[in-house]
Amino acid sequence: MLLILSQENDVSTVHILQWLIHWGVPFFRINEEDNISVDTLSIGPNNCREIILMKNGKHRLVLNELKACWYRRGAVHLRIKNQFPIEIEKPLSERVFTHMKAEARACEDYINFIIESLPRINTYNRRDVNKLIILDIASRIGLKIPKTLVTTKKEIYLSTFGNNQKTITKSIHTGFDYMRVNDEGKEERYSTYTEVLDFLNLPNSFFPSKFQEKIEKEADIRVFYLFGDFYTMAIMSQDNPQTSTDFRKYDNIKPNRRFPAKLPFEVEQKLDSLMRAIELESGSIDLILTKDGEFIFLEVNPVGQFNMVSVPCNYNLEKIFAHKLKTFLS
Amino acid sequence: MKKLEANSNEIYVLNPTAIPVKGLSRSILCDIERHVYTLIPNALYELLRENRTGIISEVIYRYSNKDELITKTIEEYFDFLIQGDYIFFTNSPDLFQPLEFEWDYPAKITNAIIDVNDFTDVNFEEILSQLESLGCYAIQIRLYCQMAASEMAKKIFEPTKKSKIQAIEIVLPFASFCELDSWSKLTDLYTRIKYLQFYNAPKYEILQEFGYNGMGLIYLIKDNIENEKCCGVVHSQYFTLNISSYTEAQHHNTCLNRKISIDTHGNIKNCPSMKESYGNIRDTTLREALGKPGFKKYWNINKDQIEVCKDCEFRYICTDCRAYIEDPENIHSKPLKCGYNPFTCEWEEWSTNPLKQKAIEHYGLEELVKKEEKAM
């Protein structure tokens, strides 16, 4: 049995499950939205343990029977109700509820610990990567990275980049996304993108912000990585002013060309070292190809959708990925 | 706009998604990313085959031998390639790889046709559940009888509300139409209706466009689809150009691969127009029929094996038909209802071609052909 941890509406999960169903590979899917409860959790002498979970009160999962796990997204959530058999007054009830959540959390941690010991693709504990740490490791490994600065002061910015260097600013952690319904009842969306910085408008001091030198690129490179294998796509976004800084600002009339590509061996080797160092079996890697033919590493996303690389390049990554999961069971 | 002179000493690469296909007398360049093709001379095809990447000035020098006319022609070719965004310039040509043409899909059956007339006794709920278990995601239901929107909702869509089938196409006579409102309501309520096509209508007209989800088209066509013999017409209006169909066409039949059908009598076939039946839905499951020897015999006949088609520039974007072929004795013969000649590059009326009359008689298509002539 294969365990798949995901979310209800995740498209990539659906595409991979189609293959597993097609091949008759047995799996058990837990979505973040599911109500998981502990049926049995016993640890005994002689390396003996039994862990049984219930999904939504009806599906029984014996963790000992699992052969492998794919951590896609989400988390195993034990649901705790803020209810007590007797009436408890306010501050105490809140303390008790906090305590109950911590108790459940300890069980969740143990469950994740057991799952992590299985043959696996990615884990809950490495779902969220710190971009600064990864940039640091990448630089140590010898990958080229853009000069990066986090500061609160314009003078530091200027002493780092001067006033001729073009720079961009982007979030330190992840982008900001906000949706609201306006007065006319229409949905409005605000998202942060990578933007070219106009340093003249910088105040003298500001909230800690990240700046990177703007690299004149020939193409954006998006890599899907799986156990040392690389599936690479080039996005020819540079010729289009709308996408030249951030290709996610899609041009729907004349979409950017997307082509299959093959990274030089040394770049793949270094990226492989990086992925091993941060213990990710799979993930999406972003790079820039410069006009001089150099590859600049930008970031890793452990949980990206792989459809966007798979379809235009005809890689059928879903099949390759599902096949990897299948081999775990044989 | 990019200019040839400015780039003539840079390294160009042909877009990996721009694929040249050679025909007998001319070629096409398939842009499978933007779903369009363009006609090109065979000379340009050869030039691209030998020079997927290179430097324009060097290519010109090598081919022209300083001949002015040839130089001018090749310059025009590259102008066309630049303006059409078919090549790009890079300092890293080795990075870019040709597209692989592998094709696969996680299902035993991907598409199905169910034919229905007044005498058809069919349990849609049962059939759709069988199709679902085979992984089928697209179904076409062709009605040769009238059916009202309310009846269709009750018979077909209500029982299959929770089915995983993604798209259902309905083809039915214009006589069923009445008023748009009831059909619009049907597409609103059942979002897996890809389209409702009413045939034998007074004119061609789109009454309701595809919705934001690419579903729910309602339209009229003039053709009369009175039975399964009307199928199998090969024409440029049925060309498909996308990465999935293009790669499937490299290995498989562009009509019959992973298809299953049930004709008006309940016979389970690869296609309703074919003679071979693999059991009746009354006593045979679709899975059983699929497992019978011979069911898949047409699946791997791609256009490279079909006579005439193999020399046609449209072979990977065109549909096929194995039910009606020019020589019924030859499984690899050209589709009967195709009027294209890749030697002359002209589309002619297939039904009046004297060489096809024997096959028309063989399949009993004379009636149909006569009616079409009258309509013209």
Side-chain angles (χ1 to χ4, degrees):
Chain A
M1 179 72 78
L2 181 72
L3 177 65
I4 293 169
L5 301 175
S6 186
Q7 295 166 335
E8 245 165 38
N9 293 321
D10 183 61
V11 181
S12 289
T13 307
V14 174
H15 291 153
I16 281 155
L17 293 190
Q18 278 183 311
W19 282 103
L20 297 178
I21 293 166
H22 183 55
W23 289 329
V25 176
F27 64 85
F28 192 98
R29 175 175 177 174
I30 294 180
N31 291 324
E32 189 168 31
E33 296 84 354
D34 286 329
N35 180 3
I36 302 299
S37 57
V38 173
D39 182 282
T40 309
L41 195 163
S42 80
I43 310 166
N46 305 320
N47 194 19
C48 204
R49 66 187 65 76
E50 189 179 28
I51 306 144
I52 300 168
L53 303 179
M54 294 299 287
K55 176 171 113 172
N56 302 329
K58 49 185 184 217
H59 303 289
R60 195 163 175 271
L61 174 68
V62 184
L63 244 62
N64 313 51
E65 290 171 0
L66 290 174
K67 290 274 191 307
C69 174
W70 171 32
Y71 174 81
R72 165 71 190 142
R73 285 180 175 192
V76 176
H77 276 316
L78 299 177
R79 288 290 146 88
I80 306 296
K81 282 191 190 140
N82 194 0
Q83 289 172 356
F84 310 99
I86 52 164
E87 190 104 348
I88 307 177
E89 78 275 13
K90 202 59 192 275
L92 177 61
S93 70
E94 281 166 3
R95 281 290 307 279
V96 171
F97 186 55
T98 306
H99 175 73
M100 285 159 62
K101 282 195 286 191
E103 292 282 287
R105 185 65 213 261
C107 293
E108 287 172 1
D109 287 348
Y110 178 67
I111 292 163
N112 282 323
F113 166 78
I114 292 295
I115 291 171
E116 208 159 302
S117 67
L118 294 165
R120 59 176 154 80
I121 297 180
N122 296 357
T123 74
Y124 173 75
N125 286 325
R126 272 179 288 285
R127 71 196 179 284
D128 193 11
V129 297
N130 181 309
K131 289 181 180 175
L132 297 174
I133 295 174
I134 291 199
L135 217 49
D136 190 284
I137 298 173
S139 175
R140 272 186 239 183
I141 284 168
L143 284 160
K144 295 199 173 69
I145 60 163
K147 190 177 195 179
T148 303
L149 170 75
V150 177
T151 186
T152 57
K153 291 196 175 65
K154 185 178 185 175
E155 58 174 294
I156 306 279
Y157 170 88
L158 283 172
S159 68
T160 308
F161 292 112
N163 48 22
N164 282 325
Q165 170 79 59
K166 273 192 184 167
T167 58
I168 52 137
T169 179
K170 60 201 285 192
S171 53
I172 302 169
H173 182 227
T174 54
F176 181 80
D177 209 26
Y178 181 67
M179 190 108 89
R180 68 166 186 191
V181 179
N182 70 12
D183 299 337
E184 289 159 25
K186 277 190 179 162
E187 279 184 354
E188 290 180 328
R189 187 167 190 166
Y190 175 84
S191 301
T192 56
Y193 287 97
T194 302
E195 303 281 359
V196 176
L197 186 78
D198 181 4
F199 77 91
L200 292 173
N201 288 337
L202 272 185
N204 287 329
S205 72
F206 40 81
F207 185 82
S209 301
K210 187 166 89 179
F211 305 95
Q212 279 181 331
E213 60 175 315
K214 181 170 172 21
I215 295 157
E216 290 309 318
K217 61 187 178 179
E218 182 174 312
D220 281 290
I221 305 292
R222 175 63 66 97
V223 181
F224 184 78
Y225 172 91
L226 178 65
F227 281 101
D229 288 331
F230 291 80
Y231 303 91
T232 304
M233 175 169 81
I235 304 164
M236 314 305 282
S237 48
Q238 194 54 30
D239 288 341
N240 189 333
Q242 187 173 333
T243 56
S244 60
T245 302
D246 189 332
F247 72 80
R248 290 171 302 166
K249 286 190 166 178
Y250 299 112
D251 185 336
N252 291 323
I253 313 252
K254 201 177 170 193
N256 290 139
R257 295 279 192 183
R258 293 162 298 171
F259 303 137
K262 177 96 182 89
L263 292 171
F265 180 65
E266 320 82 68
V267 177
E268 285 194 354
Q269 256 187 333
K270 284 174 185 163
L271 289 173
D272 190 44
S273 305
L274 172 71
M275 294 302 272
R276 285 168 192 274
I278 59 179
E279 295 182 65
L280 283 179
E281 288 74 33
S282 177
S284 298
I285 305 170
D286 294 353
L287 303 142
I288 284 176
L289 170 66
T290 70
K291 302 245 186 232
D292 305 326
E294 283 193 324
F295 292 88
I296 312 290
F297 169 84
L298 296 180
E299 62 183 60
V300 172
N301 180 0
V303 295
Q305 299 287 7
F306 28 110
N307 201 256
M308 69 96 70
V309 174
S310 183
V311 174
C313 299
N314 196 36
Y315 286 141
N316 212 339
L317 291 177
E318 295 79 7
K319 184 183 178 186
I320 292 167
F321 197 94
H323 189 261
K324 186 76 205 172
L325 293 174
K326 188 176 165 222
T327 56
F328 279 140
L329 300 192
S330 55
Chain B
M1 208 171 256
K2 282 183 202 157
K3 282 271 158 45
L4 175 61
E5 302 87 61
N7 300 108
S8 84
N9 290 315
E10 283 183 59
I11 304 166
Y12 75 84
V13 176
L14 175 66
N15 287 353
T17 48
I19 302 158
V21 182
K22 192 180 181 216
L24 205 56
S25 304
R26 62 181 180 184
S27 298
I28 59 170
L29 194 51
C30 292
D31 187 339
I32 57 174
E33 207 179 2
R34 292 184 183 161
H35 316 302
V36 290
Y37 70 88
T38 182
L39 297 164
I40 57 169
N42 278 352
L44 177 52
Y45 169 89
E46 294 297 344
L47 185 109
L48 288 172
R49 195 175 60 88
E50 286 165 22
N51 305 278
R52 191 180 75 83
T53 172
I55 293 168
I56 296 174
S57 59
E58 285 178 10
V59 171
I60 291 173
Y61 181 79
R62 216 166 48 242
Y63 282 81
S64 67
N65 215 355
K66 294 189 181 162
D67 179 300
E68 261 181 49
L69 201 68
I70 301 175
T71 302
K72 201 163 166 280
T73 305
I74 300 178
E75 277 176 357
E76 276 172 18
Y77 287 168
F78 277 105
D79 247 341
F80 157 78
L81 294 170
I82 293 170
Q83 301 312 333
D85 198 15
Y86 296 114
I87 58 173
F88 63 97
F89 297 94
T90 175
N91 293 320
S92 313
D94 297 340
L95 177 73
F96 299 93
Q97 301 291 308
L99 208 67
E100 297 281 343
F101 290 145
E102 294 296 308
W103 179 88
D104 203 356
Y105 189 85
K108 292 188 166 63
I109 288 292
T110 58
N111 67 107
I113 299 178
I114 305 168
D115 276 358
V116 179
N117 67 16
D118 278 323
F119 308 102
T120 309
D121 173 27
V122 56
N123 177 346
F124 283 106
E125 188 173 5
E126 169 60 23
I127 291 174
L128 265 60
S129 112
Q130 284 193 31
L131 284 170
E132 190 181 321
S133 81
L134 294 169
C136 179
Y137 65 87
I139 297 174
Q140 185 176 67
I141 299 173
R142 300 190 299 201
L143 299 165
Y144 306 123
C145 55
Q146 294 189 33
M147 195 184 274
S150 56
E151 191 188 352
M152 193 177 287
K154 207 173 103 202
K155 261 192 173 167
I156 303 176
F157 294 110
E158 200 51 39
T160 55
K161 233 178 170 174
K162 285 187 175 164
S163 151
K164 284 182 188 139
I165 287 158
Q166 294 164 22
I168 299 180
E169 305 168 356
I170 306 277
V171 175
L172 72 169
F174 182 69
S176 300
F177 182 70
C178 286
E179 29 101 47
L180 180 61
D181 200 41
S182 58
W183 297 103
S184 282
K185 274 187 191 143
L186 197 73
T187 57
D188 287 347
L189 203 56
Y190 305 103
T191 51
R192 71 177 64 137
I193 301 176
K194 177 91 182 170
Y195 62 71
L196 294 166
Q197 181 199 69
F198 293 91
Y199 61 81
N200 209 9
K203 57 176 179 177
Y204 175 86
E205 192 180 356
I206 292 177
L207 301 174
Q208 177 178 299
E209 295 276 359
F210 281 120
Y212 68 96
N213 54 357
M215 307 300 268
L217 175 77
I218 302 178
Y219 70 115
L220 312 178
I221 60 164
K222 280 175 78 173
D223 303 288
N224 185 17
I225 306 176
E226 59 188 37
N227 58 41
E228 75 283 349
K229 287 184 178 174
C230 299
C231 195
V233 178
V234 171
H235 199 269
S236 58
Q237 73 195 64
Y238 304 123
F239 285 173
T240 315
L241 216 185
N242 61 57
I243 201 158
S244 155
S245 63
Y246 191 91
T247 52
E248 187 177 8
Q250 303 295 312
H251 313 279
H252 303 286
N253 192 272
T254 47
C255 179
L256 299 164
N257 187 39
R258 299 204 195 176
K259 180 187 245 100
I260 200 164
S261 303
I262 305 169
D263 75 6
T264 53
H265 305 288
N267 293 319
I268 305 169
K269 300 173 169 182
N270 191 174
C271 141
S273 302
M274 289 183 145
K275 281 204 180 69
E276 299 101 327
S277 165
Y278 296 85
N280 195 287
I281 194 70
R282 279 191 307 269
D283 48 29
T284 311
T285 65
L286 296 177
R287 192 178 288 269
E288 282 164 0
L290 186 61
K292 288 188 179 169
F295 191 95
K296 302 172 183 171
K297 71 175 169 184
Y298 298 106
W299 287 14
N300 294 336
I301 301 182
N302 69 357
K303 288 286 174 91
D304 295 331
Q305 303 166 40
I306 296 170
E307 282 173 17
V308 186
C309 295
K310 64 185 172 194
D311 293 319
C312 178
E313 57 275 23
F314 301 120
R315 61 190 176 276
Y316 302 128
I317 62 175
C318 189
T319 180
D320 186 42
C321 176
R322 292 293 95 205
Y324 305 116
I325 51 181
E326 280 190 354
D327 176 3
E329 301 302 314
N330 177 5
I331 194 171
H332 294 115
S333 109
K334 183 189 172 184
L336 179 65
K337 300 186 187 180
C338 172
Y340 185 69
N341 180 341
F343 183 70
T344 60
C345 303
E346 290 193 6
W347 291 91
E348 287 149 14
E349 176 52 40
W350 65 271
S351 58
T352 52
N353 185 333
L355 299 173
K356 294 187 188 246
Q357 294 313 313
K358 243 180 134 176
I360 289 172
E361 224 169 276
H362 173 91
Y363 294 114
L365 298 172
E366 304 96 321
E367 286 274 306
L368 191 85
V369 168
K370 265 187 219 150
K371 274 189 198 156
E372 269 174 20
E373 272 168 23
K374 260 189 220 158
M376 283 158 57

